[in-house]
Amino acid sequence: EVQLVESGGGLVQPGGSLRLSCAASGFTFSDYYMSWVRQAPGEGLEWVANINPEGTEDYCVDSVKGRFTASRDNAKNSLFLQMNSLRADDTAVYYCARSAYGSAVNPWGQGTLVTVSS
Amino acid sequence: DVVMTQSPLSLPVTLGQPASISCRSSQSLVYSDGNTYLNWFQQRPGQSPRRLIYQVSNRDSGVPDRFSGSGSGTDFTLKISRVEAEDVGVYYCMQGTHWPWTFGQGTKVEIK
């Protein structure tokens, strides 16, 4: 059974940093692009980042470029999102998902909540 | 960035009746490989999103056949042939043709 379990969310002050993790199981992790998608409270979905299967290329949306970095450890079936210089508008539930052919493949993780507030 | 525009944003429906959601993109979603990476996601209250439809019209495993997708180029539609209570939630179209991948604003489906 495919499972994605996010962790690492919490309360952080503006300007602070946080590292999210996503533990993957039930599939060959190193075969897939992986993605981070976020959802601000009561709002819609926003794609944040993709990373290629080798972990050599990551793509971030402009609103987080230069502040967020996606990475992965294929030996440990783990995906990460390093978030620096956090702002209030980064407050959201962050989901990880497998990606293929221009889409996120089911199932998604349950998400981890990041709250940026003083 | 490609803007995805959904309508309506709120859709009250009667159980057993059909429902239709429109999604328009600001650019063609036909990729250089000839495929169109237009997807539909459902998010039930309190749950993570799940994909229903990929590449315009292909249903994901386990998705009831009352859900169907159609369209081409910049105009796409998700149809529910007969709405059931478990269909309540927010539906998003999403394009994976152009980076950054983008979602529509979401359409909230509720029972009248």
Side-chain angles (χ1 to χ4, degrees):
Chain A
E1 178 193 5
V2 172
Q3 278 200 316
L4 297 168
V5 180
E6 301 93 337
S7 61
L11 175 64
V12 61
Q13 292 189 337
S17 297
L18 214 54
R19 190 192 196 207
L20 305 183
S21 299
C22 172
S25 60
F27 65 101
T28 304
F29 182 70
S30 57
D31 282 350
Y32 283 86
Y33 274 79
M34 295 296 295
S35 299
W36 289 99
V37 178
R38 68 183 179 182
Q39 186 170 35
E43 301 294 326
L45 299 167
E46 179 184 28
W47 215 281
V48 175
N50 280 357
I51 185 166
N52 69 343
E54 298 78 16
T56 55
E57 297 179 359
D58 71 297
Y59 312 87
C60 290
V61 69
D62 281 351
S63 59
V64 308
K65 200 170 290 183
R67 301 186 300 121
F68 290 12
T69 303
S71 62
R72 63 194 295 162
D73 183 339
N74 286 345
K76 295 183 178 180
N77 292 339
S78 294
L79 173 71
F80 306 102
L81 185 67
Q82 178 65 43
M83 304 186 296
N84 300 328
S85 303
L86 283 161
R87 311 186 306 219
D89 62 358
D90 295 317
T91 294
V93 173
Y94 286 74
Y95 297 100
C96 73
R98 295 180 295 168
S99 290
Y101 300 108
S103 184
V105 180
N106 295 332
W108 294 34
Q110 85 290 347
T112 187
L113 175 62
V114 172
T115 303
V116 184
S117 174
S118 54
Chain B
D1 298 0
V2 176
V3 177
M4 305 296 288
T5 303
Q6 291 181 228
S7 63
L9 299 184
S10 177
L11 184 55
V13 293
T14 301
L15 287 173
Q17 293 300 302
S20 180
I21 301 170
S22 171
C23 175
R24 290 185 173 174
S25 58
S26 59
Q27 300 177 34
S28 171
L29 298 186
V30 180
Y31 191 56
S32 54
D33 62 4
N35 292 315
T36 300
Y37 296 108
L38 185 283
N39 311 277
W40 289 95
F41 290 86
Q42 175 196 60
Q43 189 173 30
R44 291 170 171 154
Q47 295 188 12
S48 300
R50 74 155 174 159
R51 192 178 66 182
L52 300 176
I53 302 284
Y54 63 95
Q55 291 183 40
V56 182
S57 59
N58 297 284
R59 265 191 310 274
D60 269 275
S61 174
V63 174
D65 61 7
R66 64 179 180 274
F67 289 94
S68 64
S70 63
S72 63
T74 61
D75 287 341
F76 305 93
T77 303
L78 175 70
K79 291 184 178 178
I80 310 174
S81 59
R82 294 173 306 279
V83 171
E84 298 189 5
E86 66 178 15
D87 301 336
V88 166
V90 181
Y91 292 77
Y92 297 92
C93 61
M94 172 253 157
Q95 67 83 19
T97 297
H98 305 281
W99 182 257
W101 297 352
T102 48
F103 290 92
Q105 318 96 299
T107 294
K108 187 174 185 179
V109 172
E110 58 184 10
I111 305 301
K112 279 184 185 174

